[in-house]
Amino acid sequence: MSPPNLRLSKTGRFRPGEEISPPPDSYSLMPFRFERLEGDEEQVVVVNDLGEYLLITHEQLVRFATGMLEPTEPLYRELRSHQFLFDRESISNLDVVVPRLRLKKQRVSDFTALNMFVVTLRCNQSCPYCQVSRQSEDRAQFDMPEEVAKKGVEFAFRSPSPDVKIEFQGGESLLNFELIKSIVIEAEARNETERRSLEFVAATNMTFLTDEILDFFREHNILVSTSIDGPADLHNKNRPYKGHDAFAEVCANIARARSALGPDRVAALMTTTRSSLTRPREIIDQYLELGFNAVFFRPLSPYGFAIKTKSFYEYSADEFLDFWKEGLDYIIELNRNGVFIIEHFTSILLDKMFSRRGTGYVNLQSPAGNGIAGIVYNYDGYVYASDEGRMIAEMGDHSLRLGHLLRDGYDDILGSDVLLQMLDESLAESSPQCADCGFQPWCGSDPDYHYAMSRDFTGHKPTSGFCKKNTGAFNHIIRLMAEGGEPARILKSWVR
Amino acid sequence: MNADRGSVQFQKKVYSLEAVKKALYRLSGRAIFELRDTADEWEVEFFPRDGWSRSDVEESLNASVLDEDLREIVRRETETIRNLLLAHAFSRADLGESEGEDR
Amino acid sequence: MLQLFANMLGFSNWEDTSRLVVRLRTNPNLPKVLRSREFFLVKHGCELPEGFAGYVIVGSAKDGLGDQVVEVPESMGYLEDGDILVLDPTERTARVLYRKLSGSNSFLLTERCNHYCVMCSQPPRDVNDSYIAKELLRAIPLMSTETREVGLTGGEPTLLGEEFFEIVQMLKTHLPQSALHILSNGRAFSVDSFARKLASIRHPDLMLGIPLYSDHPERHNFVVQSEHAFDETVKGILNLKNCGVRVEIRVVLHSYTIPTLVSLADYLARNLVFCDHVALMGLEFMGFGKSNLKDLWIDPIDYRLELSEAVKILDAAGLPVSIYNLQRCVVPQDLWNFCRRSISDWKNDFLPVCETCDQKELCAGFFSSTLAKPSRGITPLDHVGYPKSHPVAAP
């Protein structure tokens, strides 16, 4: 609707708009970045430092950037309203962005929230893509000692974060249920005085689940997170359990856990392998059948080291993107037909693009989430800045160790040279190409991935699978939002 | 590797060395580049990698250098403001209680 | 509509002819020691109890009067115990300043304003009305602590400067349990110290209602008829929120604000989302709202889409939204939850056709001033919300 003239039909004391606020003869740019869209190079997405974006043509971009826009153009007004420019009548644009910038970066000052405790390396399954687990009964060698766990809890509360999330990992975490119990009790005791928002998650393959475990989980409100890779054959191929039908047992236990803990206290995610790539719809259908209303197409970063079955799961960024796009299409279709289901990889990106607070997902932050958002206490007492870091260590490279819980203090570990170097070199704001990339406000850094691929934390973005995957995903979402209609509305409704 | 070889020239008085280099960096997955210069021009010689044709790379190169030049302009115009805004965002010196962010 | 002002009144036995702020009592057995400060209200022609400072008589006085009597017309028969009047024996006027039983008492602080809004229902006058604030300062201690809500309006209240803060402080002191709603264009608060000064009073329940008519500065500035208004208002809002003062954004809906209503909602949802409330308000046909009606008028039926989209944007962002002064039959049904019965009782009215409407009890009704030009969509509705009959043509 084009605005009518800003004047009244009779004159008198009322002045017309042009007299009160004549069109400014110049404007100033506010910080922004841009990218051409994949597949349509004349379309450009401009993104300001708050992560807000507009789609314009390249011709408009040139005129805008060189100060040639006319103040009467609709585009001028749109850019002004979205804090891409300011003029003498909208200097307040500079003021309004300040609190928003602060909020966006608030997470960094909140510091470490996610604390992963690898309570044991022992596992009863032998998933080919797992780099860490051991088929062993040797508790002494592979279980986390009590004193290490206690120290870990102390560390968790050293962080100033108002949220403290403790996640139990493994191997198979429930194989050391006794330690999980004592960690929970220790943390709750500390929280009596600390008064943080304390949350527990147990990552488990759910092949076994005793009533004792369920009772304890219910009593302490512990969330259960498991893996469902897809329909039975796919799941069992990815996650074999010798002598058992892993899938059937997991499904049965999911049902038990749901009824004991509540339906929203059991979450599932999937690990994308080569075999998954052709079957996104089946995977989603399987999740629906199991009563989940969320699926996480988790991209697995293949590491460059020689891994026992590398060819089994490795795939390219493009292959992952095709898989994800097809899955997302199906999910949108389901939503249009009244079935509520979310895809988490998408919702994380949407939160980064549209939510005021962004997202806490540790793998898509800049500065990287390593250490400063999430931290890992390994079964042997060594501390790592990420889950990938301890996986790399299991494969023989210990250079990403930050320290040891029983030997090094909190300040030494969080202030360790390797952590600082990791954060510094992977910082998107100062990395080549990332510094100017239009998607930077939404993207993150992945020092582990780049270290694994090329032995440096910065990586070479033009050939980086991490970059390719994220760029492709952002492009796709921008396209979907631009097409509008129900799909766009559905996606928007997922934003927190 | 693609046997095709191409070259593009960029006027020095229009495009900075920085802009050209950044463009080459961005496209380094598509071709191998060699950068030389004459008195008036930057000369980019390239060898396309597999999957990229000479005209693909040439087109990308022209678009990319143009875009890096634009980015230079934008950076120049907005660097100061960006630093100012970030400084304000992270200093609580002038500001009182934070507004109710947690609705 | 209640008559709050009367002139050509009969004043008898007045020694001092200066204006007087008086509180009315109806209890003839009020302890004698308290009577000398109060005025007695006579409604049904009874005897005048002795000892009161004066008497306000509804209708005609009987003979044999006391000191300081004033006769007010029957139309002021609504006056009750606890109400406060300003009496002017020289001009022979009485103005009702405060009604104890009113849901909200609004006090005009000044008619002066630094804006000149094209739809202003209280057109500014450049006069020296500093007596108004002084009278209010005298009246506040007389008000009942049970008063639920109090409003400060104008003109532009902040033009009073120091006295503005005095009034807020006095309201905090004497009416600590009464919510305080101040209408202001917010520009004075673009100076940080002014905002801090208000915040430092720490009124326990304060909200500032500040209009923002568009996210396009030239459009907002046109509506308020003042240069740089947009910038200063936004800055003022930011400063106030920074000090922890609650702010409500007010938007009057007319032909100059509807075109950018949706982009304004988007702007608010992104930049001013920490504000406490957004009020979207139907137009009142008083003052300039009446004289500029031809330019301002847009039938609410014709902006249903914009209104709907704006509300949805604000609501999705978590901003509390209310729709004021629009009738339920012209607002899309999915927005009914946002509609409030907002029109002050002394201005509130309905059309004859509304008598058969099942939604009447919940409806905001009309300003008395807007009865003359209702939307063409006014029609009685049934319990569910469907029209009972064909829409009635506007008179």
Side-chain angles (χ1 to χ4, degrees):
Chain A
M1 196 185 204
S2 75
N5 293 333
L6 297 178
R7 50 176 57 238
L8 292 166
S9 50
K10 52 187 180 189
T11 40
R13 262 198 72 174
F14 296 102
R15 296 172 290 152
E18 285 147 14
E19 195 186 305
I20 297 175
S21 301
D25 43 24
S26 69
Y27 58 91
S28 299
L29 300 179
M30 289 179 71
F32 76 96
R33 300 178 177 86
F34 67 87
E35 289 301 316
R36 296 190 191 234
L37 284 191
E38 278 170 8
D40 184 359
E41 304 267 295
E42 285 315 302
Q43 285 289 305
V44 172
V45 60
V46 289
V47 189
N48 67 19
D49 274 7
L50 298 167
E52 282 175 322
Y53 76 91
L54 292 173
L55 279 180
I56 64 179
T57 65
H58 196 271
E59 182 266 337
Q60 287 172 325
L61 168 67
V62 174
R63 284 195 303 120
F64 167 47
T66 52
M68 305 293 288
L69 279 188
E70 292 297 326
T72 46
E73 284 183 60
L75 177 65
Y76 181 95
R77 294 197 176 106
E78 224 190 329
L79 289 166
R80 184 182 54 190
S81 290
H82 286 80
Q83 287 76 49
F84 281 85
L85 64 83
F86 71 94
D87 54 34
R88 66 161 178 255
E89 292 297 351
S90 52
I91 299 181
S92 51
N93 265 356
L94 297 176
D95 296 299
V96 297
V97 302
V98 169
R100 296 177 63 188
L101 274 174
R102 192 182 305 131
L103 184 60
K104 273 230 177 268
K105 294 297 185 184
Q106 173 120 17
R107 250 173 242 287
V108 180
S109 60
D110 282 349
F111 215 58
T112 322
L114 178 60
N115 300 270
M116 289 171 272
F117 286 73
V118 182
V119 295
T120 179
L121 217 49
R122 293 179 296 123
C123 190
N124 58 339
Q125 287 191 277
S126 47
C127 311
Y129 51 64
C130 179
Q131 291 95 336
V132 294
S133 306
R134 302 298 163 86
Q135 297 284 303
S136 169
E137 300 287 331
D138 190 345
R139 288 172 178 271
Q141 201 184 4
F142 296 119
D143 280 12
M144 178 185 271
E146 183 87 38
E147 53 168 350
V148 167
K150 212 157 175 215
K151 204 70 195 187
V153 174
E154 190 189 306
F155 263 56
F157 283 93
R158 282 295 295 270
S159 163
S161 174
D163 304 305
V164 171
K165 189 167 173 188
I166 290 179
E167 193 175 291
F168 303 111
Q169 290 272 3
E172 168 48 47
S173 64
L174 294 187
L175 285 175
N176 197 354
F177 176 59
E178 289 308 308
L179 190 66
I180 290 179
K181 279 199 290 190
S182 58
I183 290 174
V184 170
I185 291 177
E186 173 74 26
E188 282 175 349
R190 271 182 190 268
N191 206 34
E192 288 288 310
T193 38
E194 291 280 346
R195 294 246 156 270
R196 316 285 184 91
S197 172
L198 184 58
E199 240 185 86
F200 299 103
V201 184
T204 159
N205 59 31
M206 286 197 93
T207 50
F208 66 93
L209 208 58
T210 65
D211 284 333
E212 189 204 345
I213 292 175
L214 282 177
D215 285 339
F216 186 81
F217 279 16
R218 183 180 48 241
E219 203 189 313
H220 298 270
N221 206 28
I222 298 174
L223 185 77
V224 170
S225 172
T226 190
S227 285
I228 298 280
D229 280 4
D233 69 299
L234 181 53
H235 184 94
N236 285 336
K237 183 171 171 196
N238 279 358
R239 307 176 65 83
Y241 185 15
K242 199 155 177 193
H244 298 253
D245 178 350
F247 183 77
E249 302 198 11
V250 171
C251 291
N253 284 326
I254 284 176
R256 278 178 64 213
R258 274 231 180 82
S259 71
L261 308 176
D264 54 339
R265 301 307 287 170
V266 182
L269 35 75
M270 58 153 305
T271 301
T272 313
T273 65
R274 268 217 92 72
S275 324
S276 327
L277 294 181
T278 50
R279 307 167 69 173
R281 289 179 179 239
E282 287 179 60
I283 294 169
I284 293 165
D285 280 338
Q286 184 61 72
Y287 269 69
L288 283 174
E289 222 180 285
L290 289 172
F292 289 108
N293 59 15
V295 62
F296 190 172
F297 277 13
R298 212 163 52 128
L300 193 63
S301 302
Y303 290 95
F305 297 111
I307 299 161
K308 43 191 173 171
T309 50
K310 177 178 170 187
S311 60
F312 176 79
Y313 68 83
E314 197 178 349
Y315 46 81
S316 71
D318 279 328
E319 287 171 302
F320 174 76
L321 285 171
D322 286 336
F323 164 72
W324 166 69
K325 285 179 193 173
E326 197 187 325
L328 184 57
D329 270 346
Y330 184 49
I331 284 189
I332 289 175
E333 194 188 309
L334 287 167
N335 275 280
R336 291 183 84 152
N337 286 306
V339 177
F340 174 70
I341 176 164
I342 283 188
E343 196 286 305
H344 273 313
F345 177 60
T346 314
S347 76
I348 286 166
L349 297 180
L350 288 170
D351 278 343
K352 295 229 70 172
M353 292 168 77
F354 298 106
S355 163
R356 284 184 304 126
R357 280 195 66 94
T359 171
Y361 185 60
V362 298
N363 288 359
L364 203 62
Q365 307 288 336
S366 177
N370 299 49
I372 66 179
I375 199 164
V376 176
Y377 312 116
N378 211 5
Y379 72 100
D380 55 7
Y382 282 104
V383 183
Y384 295 89
S386 64
D387 211 24
E388 289 81 357
R390 65 130 176 162
M391 287 181 197
I392 288 172
E394 283 308 317
M395 298 188 294
D397 182 343
H398 299 143
S399 44
L400 300 190
R401 274 185 181 155
L402 304 186
H404 194 280
L405 277 174
L406 298 180
R407 293 195 285 275
D408 301 308
Y410 182 82
D411 292 331
D412 290 325
I413 288 182
L414 269 305
S416 69
D417 286 339
V418 60
L419 178 60
L420 292 177
Q421 187 192 357
M422 199 184 293
L423 296 172
D424 183 37
E425 290 176 10
S426 67
L427 190 68
E429 282 84 343
S430 51
S431 294
Q433 192 171 311
C434 294
D436 296 314
C437 177
F439 304 131
Q440 193 221 94
W442 307 329
C443 199
S445 0
D446 197 339
D448 302 296
Y449 173 89
H450 293 113
Y451 180 79
M453 296 305 268
S454 51
R455 274 282 195 277
D456 78 278
F457 296 122
T458 317
H460 183 246
K461 298 304 177 348
T463 52
S464 156
F466 169 80
C467 179
K468 203 152 206 271
K469 176 193 72 195
N470 290 339
T471 308
F474 289 129
N475 264 279
H476 187 63
I477 292 179
I478 289 171
R479 242 189 324 268
L480 283 176
M481 295 304 294
E483 280 162 20
E486 269 300 280
R489 194 198 56 77
I490 288 166
L491 290 179
K492 210 62 195 289
S493 72
W494 294 355
V495 177
R496 283 179 298 139
Chain B
M1 174 166 333
N2 203 321
D4 251 349
R5 186 176 139 259
S7 91
V8 185
Q9 290 76 37
F10 297 99
Q11 299 259 326
K12 277 186 178 175
K13 64 177 181 227
V14 179
Y15 299 109
S16 71
L17 176 60
E18 181 93 359
V20 176
K21 281 205 242 174
K22 284 195 174 183
L24 299 191
Y25 185 85
R26 256 193 192 238
L27 298 176
S28 52
R30 302 187 190 189
I32 296 181
F33 295 99
E34 269 175 31
L35 180 59
R36 281 187 286 274
D37 73 324
T38 65
D40 306 310
E41 291 176 335
W42 308 113
E43 191 175 300
V44 178
E45 205 178 338
F46 63 85
F47 301 86
R49 295 183 191 268
D50 279 333
W52 296 96
S53 72
R54 188 164 69 90
S55 56
D56 278 342
V57 178
E58 208 171 288
E59 216 173 287
S60 305
L61 199 44
N62 282 315
S64 203
V65 171
L66 172 61
D67 283 350
E68 290 305 331
D69 181 58
L70 264 177
R71 288 191 173 103
E72 218 167 70
I73 291 171
V74 173
R75 237 183 351 261
R76 203 167 48 228
E77 299 275 315
T78 59
E79 200 71 43
T80 320
I81 288 186
R82 171 173 279 147
N83 291 336
L84 189 75
L85 293 175
L86 282 172
H88 265 126
F90 296 119
S91 118
R92 288 183 181 268
D94 291 338
L95 309 167
E97 308 299 320
S98 63
E99 349 29 78
E101 297 149 350
D102 304 304
R103 318 198 107 262
Chain C
M1 182 158 154
L2 300 183
Q3 182 185 348
L4 297 175
F5 177 82
N7 55 5
M8 303 200 299
L9 304 178
F11 282 73
S12 319
N13 302 340
W14 286 75
E15 269 184 28
D16 191 341
T17 51
S18 51
R19 294 161 63 91
L20 196 60
V21 174
V22 307
R23 178 166 61 187
L24 302 179
R25 309 314 300 262
T26 52
N27 178 8
N29 300 318
L30 194 70
K32 293 220 165 87
V33 299
L34 299 175
R35 295 187 194 186
S36 57
R37 290 177 291 180
E38 316 277 359
F39 265 54
F40 188 78
L41 173 66
V42 180
K43 294 225 283 198
H44 310 292
C46 54
E47 290 299 314
L48 304 186
E50 278 184 2
F52 281 92
Y55 303 85
V56 171
I57 301 176
V58 179
S60 301
K62 293 203 309 219
D63 292 323
L65 308 170
D67 287 333
Q68 309 211 125
V69 172
V70 57
E71 293 157 298
V72 296
E74 294 288 348
S75 51
M76 284 191 158
Y78 60 80
L79 290 170
E80 288 295 346
D81 183 273
D83 292 352
I84 297 173
L85 304 181
V86 180
L87 301 174
D88 192 335
T90 312
E91 299 295 320
R92 290 169 57 209
T93 60
R95 181 164 69 91
V96 180
L97 181 55
Y98 164 85
R99 284 169 50 235
K100 183 174 164 186
L101 295 177
S102 173
S104 72
N105 279 283
S106 218
F107 306 121
L108 179 131
L109 295 191
T110 175
E111 286 189 279
R112 289 179 300 126
C113 192
N114 53 351
H115 278 184
Y116 204 70
C117 300
V118 298
M119 69 287 177
C120 185
S121 57
Q122 180 84 44
R125 294 200 305 144
D126 196 12
V127 291
N128 183 352
D129 52 10
S130 54
Y131 65 87
I132 295 179
K134 293 181 174 49
E135 275 165 16
L136 185 60
L137 283 165
R138 269 185 269 143
I140 290 171
L142 305 177
M143 296 177 189
S144 162
T145 50
E146 284 163 26
T147 310
R148 240 187 33 227
E149 198 184 289
V150 158
L152 297 180
T153 66
E156 174 50 45
T158 56
L159 291 179
L160 262 54
E162 197 52 47
E163 249 172 351
F164 168 72
F165 295 114
E166 271 179 55
I167 290 171
V168 176
Q169 178 65 60
M170 192 144 248
L171 286 168
K172 175 189 175 183
T173 306
H174 292 279
L175 302 180
Q177 282 156 8
S178 312
L180 174 57
H181 196 246
I182 302 177
L183 297 186
S184 164
N185 59 36
R187 292 176 71 170
F189 302 103
S190 63
V191 174
D192 198 43
S193 54
F194 202 87
R196 287 192 183 286
K197 190 151 185 193
L198 179 63
S200 68
I201 295 175
R202 293 187 179 283
H203 189 285
D205 190 354
L206 168 67
M207 177 121 94
L208 252 72
I210 297 179
L212 200 62
Y213 295 122
S214 176
D215 58 320
H216 295 182
E218 63 278 348
R219 180 167 289 266
H220 172 86
N221 296 348
F222 165 73
V223 172
V224 307
Q225 291 282 299
S226 176
E227 24 275 285
H228 309 309
F230 176 84
D231 261 349
E232 284 184 23
T233 297
V234 170
K235 191 96 200 349
I237 293 169
L238 288 171
N239 284 346
L240 286 166
K241 284 315 303 172
N242 231 8
C243 308
V245 177
R246 288 163 65 225
V247 172
E248 162 190 88
I249 310 271
R250 292 161 78 86
V251 193
V252 179
L253 305 170
H254 55 61
S255 71
Y256 295 100
T257 58
I258 291 295
T260 57
L261 186 65
V262 172
S263 71
L264 171 62
D266 186 62
Y267 177 92
L268 295 176
R270 286 177 295 107
N271 296 302
L272 297 179
V273 71
F274 39 69
C275 287
D276 303 273
H277 188 234
V278 177
L280 304 174
M281 311 171 52
L283 184 63
E284 190 175 357
F285 304 169
M286 268 184 39
F288 296 149
K290 184 173 174 187
S291 53
N292 290 330
L293 188 55
K294 197 156 141 291
D295 291 316
L296 292 166
W297 168 253
I298 168 171
D299 194 323
I301 290 277
D302 294 325
Y303 61 68
R304 292 165 71 107
L305 288 176
E306 285 86 347
L307 181 62
S308 207
E309 211 186 322
V311 170
K312 291 197 170 104
I313 289 171
L314 295 167
D315 189 45
L319 269 165
V321 192
S322 297
I323 298 173
Y324 292 151
N325 315 336
L326 290 181
Q327 302 74 40
R328 278 163 102 83
C329 49
V330 303
V331 170
Q333 204 166 337
D334 58 351
L335 301 185
W336 279 6
N337 277 340
F338 301 98
C339 293
R340 316 278 171 239
R341 296 206 65 188
S342 50
I343 297 180
S344 316
D345 47 13
W346 62 275
K347 299 199 226 181
N348 189 230
D349 257 316
F350 284 88
L351 286 172
V353 72
C354 300
E355 291 314 306
T356 57
C357 180
D358 293 329
Q359 299 287 339
K360 188 174 171 223
E361 294 310 303
L362 296 167
C363 183
F366 300 79
F367 286 109
S368 310
S369 62
T370 54
L371 288 173
K373 195 186 167 96
S375 161
R376 66 183 191 276
I378 300 297
T379 184
L381 303 177
D382 62 19
H383 289 288
V384 177
Y386 291 122
K388 277 185 164 179
S389 58
H390 295 295
V392 178

